[in-house]
Amino acid sequence: MDTPENLRYTDSHEWIGPIEDGVVTVGITDHAQDQLGDVVFVELPRVGSTVVEGDAIAVVESVKTASDIYAPLSGTVVAVNEVLDAAPETINDAAFGDGWLFKLRPDDPDDRDGLLDAAGYRRFVQEEEG
């Protein structure tokens, strides 16, 4: 399971990139895309929408199931990955790269520090799997 050290993670399997110019990039983890299987459709939030931490704001559909994506932080969506409209499988190919979902300007950037670090996420996944 790939878990980059420079990211933060949620217990609902989203990753949050480092803050750059007041914005974070959000995607789903390698573990999440592996569990979903082949991604066939992605419904992303609207640019400009205000989101609240923990709210379902996007959907990733695979050949197996559909899964809600939750806002890891409260803030405003400033960009979405339009590549996923035509190539949703990019999430499977590069969950931590070109398969990012959206960019968010957090209301409080320090909230990112309260999320799981890579080691904490790996422990969480191991506990979740039993």
Side-chain angles (χ1 to χ4, degrees):
M1 175 175 70
D2 188 18
T3 314
E5 295 292 328
N6 66 325
L7 304 178
R8 293 291 185 167
Y9 302 88
T10 68
D11 60 7
S12 53
H13 307 286
E14 290 86 16
W15 61 262
I16 301 86
I19 297 170
E20 297 177 9
D21 296 325
V23 173
V24 295
T25 301
V26 178
I28 64 170
T29 66
D30 185 53
H31 173 75
Q33 71 77 25
D34 185 56
Q35 295 295 304
L36 283 169
D38 294 336
V39 175
V40 295
F41 178 76
V42 181
E43 181 182 324
L44 296 170
R46 186 178 50 81
V47 172
S49 60
T50 300
V51 300
V52 175
E53 181 179 345
D55 282 359
I57 61 167
V59 177
V60 174
E61 293 182 16
S62 71
V63 293
K64 294 182 186 177
T65 188
S67 182
D68 286 334
I69 305 302
Y70 300 93
L73 304 169
S74 295
T76 303
V77 176
V78 297
V80 296
N81 188 352
E82 295 178 2
V83 168
L84 301 179
D85 288 339
E89 68 278 3
T90 305
I91 292 172
N92 296 117
D93 298 336
F96 294 116
D98 292 340
W100 62 275
L101 299 177
F102 58 91
K103 295 185 184 233
L104 183 70
R105 183 175 311 281
D107 291 342
D108 184 351
D110 291 339
D111 288 347
R112 182 183 178 277
D113 297 335
L115 300 172
L116 296 167
D117 62 11
Y121 180 71
R122 285 190 293 269
R123 280 191 304 275
F124 171 77
V125 169
Q126 287 173 342
E127 290 169 6
E128 187 178 61
E129 291 181 342

